[in-house]
Amino acid sequence: MTVMNNTFDYATAFSTAEIVAARNAFLQYDIDKQVELLTVMPIEESMGILHHCSVAHVQHLLNALDAQGFDREAREYANHLGFIHSEAEPAKSYLSTGVFAHVKQRIGWIVGLALLGIVSGMIIAQYEDTLSQLVLLAVYMPVIAAAGGNTGSQAATLVVRALATGELRKRQWLQVMWKEARVAVFIGVAIAAVMMVRILLFNHNATVGAFALHDIAVAIALALFIQVTISTTLGGLLPIVARACHLDPAVLVSPVLASVVDISGMWIYFTVVNTYLGIGS
């Protein structure tokens, strides 16, 4: 069985006889030479050849391209051949893709992650005693989730764009992690410092129970720093993990990151505050 998807129009450039002849010549080479040819051939010619190869052989070629570091080329061929559908690099354009096709692609992740969001509520319920002792903590709960989500989304967007343009490869994940971790530390320190000043200047009349306001400020700032550092690093790595698993980073990363940040943020927040202030000990 050959690939018969018509997502790429090559017929206007070559006749069927020319394409069949080119395919026969192409298949005489070993797999490594075929991979090399696919990276240098004009897209119209290579697509014409692949359309007349068996599905199994095309998939073997795409896997070989990916394994040799040509993941962008492999993804481009797969999209044109209709093997995968991506929001970032779709086989069809965004507007020509049907509404139900978009729904089908997205709804599974959204529903699953919405159910996972219940975990955040369970964590908050577990720390009701902490909130009852220190009501001020409730005011800064949204700050933790928002800061982690914002910094993580920034990192993820930059990495998704770099993957789409071929600037980054999956094998460079360690470099991405190291870079985003360093960026995260600087951003985390800045946000933590701003939040400490905010708490000390504008919450001096708030109810803080038996705890000193500066201790509360340090505890919240520390939790915020940890959350931002983890979220930013994770945001940089998630697109690479998604691509390595042959999933669409544009569809997967944002909802997964939001859910992970919500859950981890609440757990980090209450754990750090409880430990630093000695609540419940």
Side-chain angles (χ1 to χ4, degrees):
M1 183 174 66
T2 58
V3 180
M4 296 300 293
N5 190 283
N6 293 319
T7 57
F8 191 90
D9 185 12
Y10 60 87
T12 57
F14 304 98
S15 67
T16 301
E18 289 174 326
I19 294 170
V20 171
R23 180 207 57 185
N24 292 339
F26 178 81
L27 292 177
Q28 291 179 1
Y29 295 107
D30 59 31
I31 192 70
D32 290 333
K33 183 62 176 180
Q34 291 176 15
V35 168
E36 180 184 346
L37 288 172
L38 288 177
T39 63
V40 298
M41 290 169 61
I43 185 69
E44 295 87 354
E45 184 177 344
S46 57
M47 285 301 302
I49 290 172
L50 293 177
H51 269 278
H52 284 74
C53 294
S54 69
V55 173
H57 186 67
V58 171
Q59 290 177 329
H60 185 48
L61 283 172
L62 296 181
N63 290 335
L65 275 168
D66 189 62
Q68 293 184 28
F70 299 104
D71 48 309
R72 184 188 177 193
E73 289 82 356
R75 190 169 181 81
E76 182 178 4
Y77 282 128
N79 274 320
H80 286 316
L81 293 166
F83 287 164
I84 59 174
H85 300 281
S86 166
E87 293 296 319
E89 304 167 55
K92 296 181 180 179
S93 67
Y94 173 81
L95 292 177
S96 63
T97 302
V99 171
F100 288 106
H102 281 294
V103 172
K104 182 180 178 181
Q105 185 180 37
R106 304 180 193 181
I107 194 169
W109 288 107
I110 298 300
V111 172
L113 293 171
L115 294 174
L116 185 62
I118 297 173
V119 176
S120 295
M122 295 171 62
I123 293 174
I124 295 173
Q126 183 180 353
Y127 289 98
E128 283 183 354
D129 290 341
T130 300
L131 289 173
S132 65
Q133 294 182 57
L134 196 53
V135 179
L136 182 62
L137 292 179
V139 177
Y140 292 95
M141 284 169 53
V143 176
I144 297 290
N150 291 338
T151 56
S153 295
Q154 280 184 334
T157 300
L158 292 172
V159 173
V160 168
R161 184 175 64 186
L163 287 171
T165 60
E167 180 186 348
L168 277 179
R169 304 290 185 181
K170 292 179 297 186
R171 62 178 179 272
Q172 294 176 293
W173 66 270
L174 196 59
Q175 294 171 259
V176 173
M177 183 177 69
W178 173 233
K179 181 173 184 176
E180 289 301 328
R182 287 178 291 164
V183 172
V185 168
F186 285 106
I187 294 176
V189 168
I191 294 178
V194 170
M195 197 53 55
M196 277 191 65
V197 173
R198 167 61 173 82
I199 294 170
L200 293 172
L201 290 181
F202 296 98
N203 291 103
H204 53 278
N205 292 325
T207 301
V208 295
F211 304 98
L213 185 60
H214 67 271
D215 286 336
I216 298 172
V218 171
I220 294 175
L222 182 59
L224 188 58
F225 170 79
I226 295 172
Q227 170 70 344
V228 166
T229 302
I230 292 175
S231 299
T232 304
T233 307
L234 182 63
L237 288 177
L238 265 181
I240 297 177
V241 173
R243 181 64 63 84
C245 296
H246 303 288
L247 299 171
D248 183 5
V251 173
L252 173 68
V253 171
S254 291
V256 168
L257 185 63
S259 296
V260 171
V261 166
D262 283 343
I263 295 171
S264 65
M266 291 303 98
W267 181 81
I268 290 170
Y269 186 47
F270 286 110
T271 300
V272 170
V273 169
N274 274 15
T275 302
Y276 189 86
L277 298 179
I279 299 176
S281 59

